[in-house]
Amino acid sequence: ALQTYQTDPAMRKMLTQLYFYIMPVFNVDGYHFSWTNDRFWRKTRSKNTRFRCHGVDANRNWKVKWCDEGASFHPCDDTYCGPFPESEPEVKAVAHFLRKHRKQIKAYLSFHAYAQMLLYPYSYKYATIPNFSCVELAAYNAVNALHSAYGIRYRYGPASSTLYVSSGSSMDWAYKNGIPYAFAFELRDTGHFGFLLPETLIKPTCTETMLAVKNITLHLLKKCH
């Protein structure tokens, strides 16, 4: 984005008219553990006093239909929702930030791995969001922009019907708290096995995803809500 600011009018428009808040890694401890111990680790690394299991699924820990369908009360399960909503410091910190700025924030994008999907609410139920036509059009254009880079096809649609039903997700929380555009990217897997990947493996996913993000952002500037 910064490298093309001078040469790309669309990028210049985006960066001039909008603020971007970027969190490179949400689940820092869990991400580190995925490189050192378990590649498919998805939870945080918080300790449980009653069980020997570690962590909470941070995307089941938000206060929106918390620990309903698609989440587990058992601390050893991958989809453990935690002892209470926002029990994890990672979730609590981001929720606090979003609550503080929610009147100004128009879009919330989260990035996960992996499935090659672009999802939007709802996750916790089979229902159509009020601004469905706007969000659906933004998703459609975004996956087409992504496809234009390397020919990778992403599925898109409501998370509940496109992937599975899950409760307590950050995307649903953001939407229910007044952020009209809430998306979750399930990125295609570049893989990691305890060593740094060559740039040639990581760059394609970054390039194509940036095209999708750029497309969503430009759609947002059209004030379609």
Side-chain angles (χ1 to χ4, degrees):
L2 297 177
Q3 288 174 342
T4 59
Y5 178 82
Q6 296 294 340
T7 58
D8 185 346
M11 189 66 73
R12 190 159 56 249
K13 180 181 180 180
M14 287 163 46
L15 295 178
T16 301
Q17 297 188 28
L18 295 169
Y19 287 103
F20 289 82
Y21 299 98
I22 301 170
M23 188 175 207
V25 182
F26 184 104
N27 180 16
V28 179
D29 294 337
Y31 180 62
H32 179 266
F33 190 77
S34 76
W35 281 83
T36 57
N37 291 269
D38 181 353
R39 182 181 171 223
F40 295 103
W41 185 262
R42 59 181 285 155
K43 299 196 286 183
T44 62
R45 293 296 298 162
S46 56
K47 294 181 180 179
N48 189 295
T49 55
R50 292 182 57 204
F51 294 84
R52 298 181 67 181
C53 308
H54 282 77
V56 168
D57 185 340
N59 208 37
R60 302 289 189 279
N61 192 232
W62 296 73
K63 195 175 183 179
V64 54
K65 291 293 180 180
W66 176 77
C67 225
D68 207 323
E69 187 174 353
S72 171
F73 277 110
H74 199 288
C76 294
D77 289 343
D78 283 342
T79 57
Y80 175 47
C81 60
F84 53 86
E86 296 182 30
S87 63
E88 304 310 284
E90 299 89 347
V91 175
K92 187 175 183 178
V94 176
H96 173 74
F97 177 88
L98 292 175
R99 276 193 289 264
K100 184 179 178 181
H101 297 278
R102 65 181 168 186
K103 290 184 178 179
Q104 291 79 42
I105 295 177
K106 301 302 179 187
Y108 173 82
L109 309 180
S110 61
F111 298 86
H112 306 212
Y114 58 95
Q116 295 180 200
M117 295 180 184
L118 176 55
L119 308 172
Y120 53 82
Y122 296 106
S123 294
Y124 69 88
K125 64 179 179 178
Y126 297 108
T128 302
I129 55 176
N131 62 336
F132 169 80
S133 58
C134 249
V135 172
E136 171 84 357
L137 181 60
Y140 170 79
N141 290 334
V143 296
N144 282 339
L146 187 150
H147 176 262
S148 70
Y150 303 106
I152 301 299
R153 286 284 183 193
Y154 270 51
R155 292 173 60 196
Y156 68 96
S160 56
S161 56
T162 308
L163 186 55
Y164 46 63
V165 174
S166 63
S167 57
S169 73
S170 68
M171 178 180 69
D172 281 351
W173 186 94
Y175 187 79
K176 296 285 279 187
N177 279 269
I179 300 175
Y181 283 86
F183 291 100
F185 282 88
E186 295 284 348
L187 302 179
R188 63 186 175 117
D189 186 31
T190 52
H192 60 262
F193 296 92
F195 55 84
L196 291 175
L197 283 170
E199 184 183 356
T200 51
L201 288 179
I202 297 175
K203 191 174 181 181
T205 300
C206 297
T207 300
E208 65 188 12
T209 305
M210 188 61 202
L211 289 174
V213 171
K214 181 179 174 182
N215 201 278
I216 290 172
T217 306
L218 293 173
H219 188 92
L220 177 71
L221 289 174
K222 296 176 183 177
K223 303 186 186 303
C224 179
H225 300 307

